[in-house]
Amino acid sequence: MRPAWAQPRPRVAGHRPLPPTRYLPGVNPRPSKDAGRHPGAAPRPLGPPDPERWEACEAHLYGIDLFNHGYYWEAHEVWEELWQACGRRGVTATFLKGLIALAAAGLKARMGNARGTRTHATRAVDLFQAVADRSPEPRYMGLHLEDLERHARAIASQPPAGTAKQDSIRPIVFEFVLWPD
């Protein structure tokens, strides 16, 4: 039986193809951020996402798919564009910054950098707590804040093992799946 991280994972933005490769610093070339970005990249957002209409935010959903399938750097890039569209301030920006930190923790885990993984996961805990303190709902943009905080806390206390060697990369380092509802 395959471990949980190796099981097929659901898609929330299944019409968008996943990139052909997962970027890993020092292992493969960095994808360009210009108009020729990686295939299937979410379109640049026209404005900040509406947390009440999160299911209409294609970039957010695509970021979730990227994250769940081990494309941590790519998820970080998509969520960062949304964060910038929010003006980098406010509850939605803080929430997106938490997702960015969680994706960065995944990338650091894949690189075998336990310290970096802990640092980013701890930052994600703080950011998700800040959103929970300011949001009357237990979910934000479809994701349960308590679950996000719990996952980030677990990663900070015991980072998953990873390696930067191309032939032994475990592309998905987290057992959990982000699932909006």
Side-chain angles (χ1 to χ4, degrees):
M1 180 175 193
R2 294 189 295 183
W5 62 264
Q7 299 296 327
R9 292 182 169 225
R11 299 277 312 270
V12 293
H15 63 286
R16 266 199 184 286
L18 294 172
T21 59
R22 292 167 177 89
Y23 174 61
L24 192 62
V27 175
N28 50 21
R30 181 178 179 154
S32 125
K33 286 183 83 167
D34 63 8
R37 295 178 323 161
H38 59 82
R44 295 195 188 281
L46 300 175
D50 179 353
E52 299 298 319
R53 297 188 59 240
W54 58 267
E55 54 281 283
C57 184
E58 190 175 325
H60 173 55
L61 298 177
Y62 188 57
I64 290 170
D65 278 348
L66 290 167
F67 181 90
N68 285 338
H69 289 85
Y71 293 88
Y72 302 114
W73 182 84
E74 294 82 359
H76 177 289
E77 291 292 302
V78 168
W79 286 325
E80 185 172 27
E81 287 182 15
L82 291 172
W83 174 71
Q84 290 175 356
C86 291
R88 300 184 245 179
R89 296 182 197 276
V91 178
T92 302
T94 301
F95 175 76
L96 291 165
K97 200 169 180 183
L99 291 177
I100 291 165
L102 198 59
L107 184 62
K108 293 297 183 179
R110 282 197 58 221
M111 295 170 65
N113 181 339
R115 182 177 178 185
T117 303
R118 279 188 189 94
T119 298
H120 288 292
T122 299
R123 181 71 177 132
V125 168
D126 294 343
L127 291 162
F128 293 135
Q129 283 177 341
V131 173
D133 290 346
R134 294 166 59 191
S135 174
E137 300 295 323
R139 289 183 312 205
Y140 202 86
M141 290 190 68
L143 298 173
H144 291 266
L145 293 167
E146 188 176 294
D147 290 345
L148 291 169
E149 186 181 328
R150 182 173 33 84
H151 293 314
R153 194 176 302 285
I155 295 162
S157 68
Q158 182 146 6
T163 177
K165 293 182 181 172
Q166 183 65 32
D167 59 354
S168 61
I169 291 175
R170 174 179 156 185
I172 300 172
V173 296
F174 301 136
E175 301 270 339
F176 62 90
V177 173
L178 300 180
W179 190 253
D181 61 9

